[in-house]
Amino acid sequence: MIQTHLMKLDQPYPVLNMKGVLARHVATLIEIHTTVDPKTGEETIKTISHPVVDYGENNYAGVVYEKIELEDCEILTSPLRMPDLHSIIHSNLSMFNHKLINERPEFIIWRLHHLGITIDWPKKTDADGFETDEDEDHIVVPISMGKVESGWWAESSMLSFCFDAKEMESDKALLKYIRQMRGEYYHAFKDRTFDITFHCNQPEVQYLIEELNRNPHL
């Protein structure tokens, strides 16, 4: 037998990262599963909690997100750190393989802003390596690249923007993909003027790094 209970939350609603999907947490649907051991007759209870969410925009509030349990969700705080932004975008790339336009970095960042989450922009450092009060205008992304049997891949450090890619058919396709991603970040933060370049210690892909860094806004 299954019983359900709805526990409503008060505003301001937390913003949840549900393995890459972003929404406001407005309530929790609690399922109570009762089972009886056929041998002992002992009754046991198991509870499962699902987030009830508001996606914002023109969607209905109060949608039960049944694909995930509440304990697997992450509550986002504002301002959001760059590593957390990387993690959210990485989750989407892993789930959707960057094929759905609504799951691209530019849209994800727009969603965060729409839900009231700001981004903790990195600061410049002084000669001693300490942070200053001035916003960084040149972000260097540590990145690894390579070729395997399934195609070309890239994996960026979690310290900054996410440029992860897999199964690109050629090095030129990988270059095009990274440039498109970089362009999305520029457009998502169009109120800022900044450059994104890349750093990699792998000699075999230095020609790709040089090509990307030659013109950061290409």
Side-chain angles (χ1 to χ4, degrees):
M1 186 177 73
I2 301 176
Q3 297 181 11
T4 60
H5 296 277
L6 185 67
M7 183 176 69
K8 297 181 180 179
L9 275 67
D10 296 326
Q11 296 189 46
Y13 299 122
V15 176
L16 294 182
N17 172 22
M18 302 178 292
K19 295 188 175 180
V21 179
L22 307 171
R24 295 185 184 95
H25 182 200
V26 298
T28 300
L29 180 67
I30 303 172
E31 296 179 356
I32 302 176
H33 298 255
T34 303
T35 60
V36 178
D37 189 310
K39 294 182 179 180
T40 64
E42 183 180 357
E43 187 176 272
T44 60
I45 293 176
K46 179 183 178 181
T47 61
I48 300 175
S49 298
H50 296 288
V52 181
V53 300
D54 170 15
Y55 289 107
E57 302 171 74
N58 295 320
N59 297 310
Y60 291 105
V63 178
V64 181
Y65 198 74
E66 298 177 342
K67 300 177 183 178
I68 194 171
E69 295 183 31
L70 186 60
E71 64 183 20
D72 296 322
C73 300
E74 176 190 12
I75 299 176
L76 300 182
T77 57
S78 187
L80 190 73
R81 300 180 313 122
M82 278 289 184
D84 296 323
L85 176 62
H86 181 290
S87 179
I88 292 170
I89 294 174
H90 171 79
S91 296
N92 275 273
L93 298 184
S94 299
M95 289 170 62
F96 301 105
N97 199 25
H98 207 48
K99 292 179 180 178
L100 300 180
I101 189 161
N102 284 358
E103 306 302 337
R104 298 178 74 94
E106 183 182 341
F107 183 81
I108 293 167
I109 293 166
W110 179 88
R111 288 277 299 147
L112 287 166
H113 289 158
H114 178 75
L115 294 170
I117 302 294
T118 58
I119 308 298
D120 187 14
W121 196 260
K123 300 292 185 181
K124 289 185 177 181
T125 55
D126 59 23
D128 297 320
F130 294 103
E131 282 191 355
T132 67
D133 294 330
E134 188 177 357
D135 286 349
E136 183 59 82
D137 57 10
H138 179 201
I139 298 175
V140 180
V141 179
I143 193 168
S144 299
M145 300 177 182
K147 185 179 184 302
V148 292
E149 186 175 341
S150 59
W152 283 81
W153 60 272
E155 186 174 293
S156 53
S157 167
M158 283 193 63
L159 298 174
S160 190
F161 294 127
C162 180
F163 285 89
D164 295 4
K166 58 183 180 180
E167 299 179 3
M168 298 288 131
E169 63 270 20
S170 66
D171 55 353
K172 290 183 179 180
L174 183 63
L175 277 176
K176 180 180 178 181
Y177 175 87
I178 292 175
R179 283 172 174 151
Q180 288 175 341
M181 293 273 282
R182 183 164 58 182
E184 290 193 22
Y185 289 119
Y186 289 145
H187 198 264
F189 296 101
K190 55 187 176 184
D191 57 329
R192 294 181 176 274
T193 301
F194 65 102
D195 291 334
I196 298 174
T197 60
F198 300 90
H199 172 74
C200 182
N201 292 323
Q202 299 163 255
E204 66 274 16
V205 296
Q206 284 307 307
Y207 72 101
L208 294 175
I209 300 298
E210 291 172 4
E211 183 68 22
L212 287 167
N213 292 344
R214 186 173 291 115
N215 187 344
H217 290 269
L218 180 63

